[in-house]
Amino acid sequence: MERRNTFAKKEIDDEYEKVKCDLQLYSIKFSITKQVIQSTINDEIINNIKNTYHRPYEEKFNELKQYMRELDEKRKVFQMFVEKIEKVSEDDLVAK
């Protein structure tokens, strides 16, 4: 059981780290496009940048942020599960 718990925890942690890196990347992309938009005066270029880059980056950033919250919740729930299993196992050992 412990081996399975360790494997599942590692999967969750690995996915969390991957999403964290992706989130940082999209945060940078989003910030760069925002700065370019703010420094550009041509409306046609601004609209083109917004439609082609800025909005998609913003959407992906928000998606990743939500997924990160879900993974964080999974980590917390999984940790609570492991702690309860360990407590029950300890109680069994004490009872014997």
Side-chain angles (χ1 to χ4, degrees):
M1 178 76 166
E2 171 131 358
R3 186 164 183 232
R4 230 180 311 160
N5 289 344
T6 304
F7 181 70
K9 182 178 182 340
K10 181 171 175 14
E11 281 182 342
I12 294 170
D13 288 344
D14 288 350
E15 182 70 8
Y16 186 87
E17 288 304 315
K18 180 187 176 305
V19 172
K20 184 177 170 183
C21 289
D22 288 349
L23 189 60
Q24 289 172 340
L25 176 67
Y26 276 92
S27 175
I28 292 167
K29 288 178 175 184
F30 179 69
S31 295
I32 290 170
T33 58
K34 186 174 183 179
Q35 290 171 4
V36 170
I37 289 169
Q38 289 173 343
S39 65
T40 303
I41 55 173
N42 183 316
D43 286 339
E44 185 180 336
I45 292 173
I46 289 173
N47 286 332
N48 191 11
I49 291 171
K50 280 183 180 179
N51 292 330
T52 306
Y53 300 102
H54 191 69
R55 285 190 189 106
Y57 290 161
E58 182 179 26
E59 289 170 9
K60 184 68 173 178
F61 176 78
N62 289 330
E63 270 178 39
L64 289 168
K65 211 163 56 168
Q66 179 60 35
Y67 188 47
M68 188 85 154
R69 283 188 206 110
E70 291 169 12
L71 286 171
D72 196 40
E73 186 64 26
K74 278 184 182 179
R75 289 170 83 181
K76 289 176 185 174
V77 168
F78 187 79
Q79 187 59 40
M80 287 185 337
F81 167 76
V82 169
E83 288 170 4
K84 288 183 185 230
I85 294 295
E86 287 174 355
K87 179 159 177 33
V88 168
S89 298
E90 287 172 11
D91 291 348
D92 277 350
L93 287 175
V94 171
K96 290 180 181 180

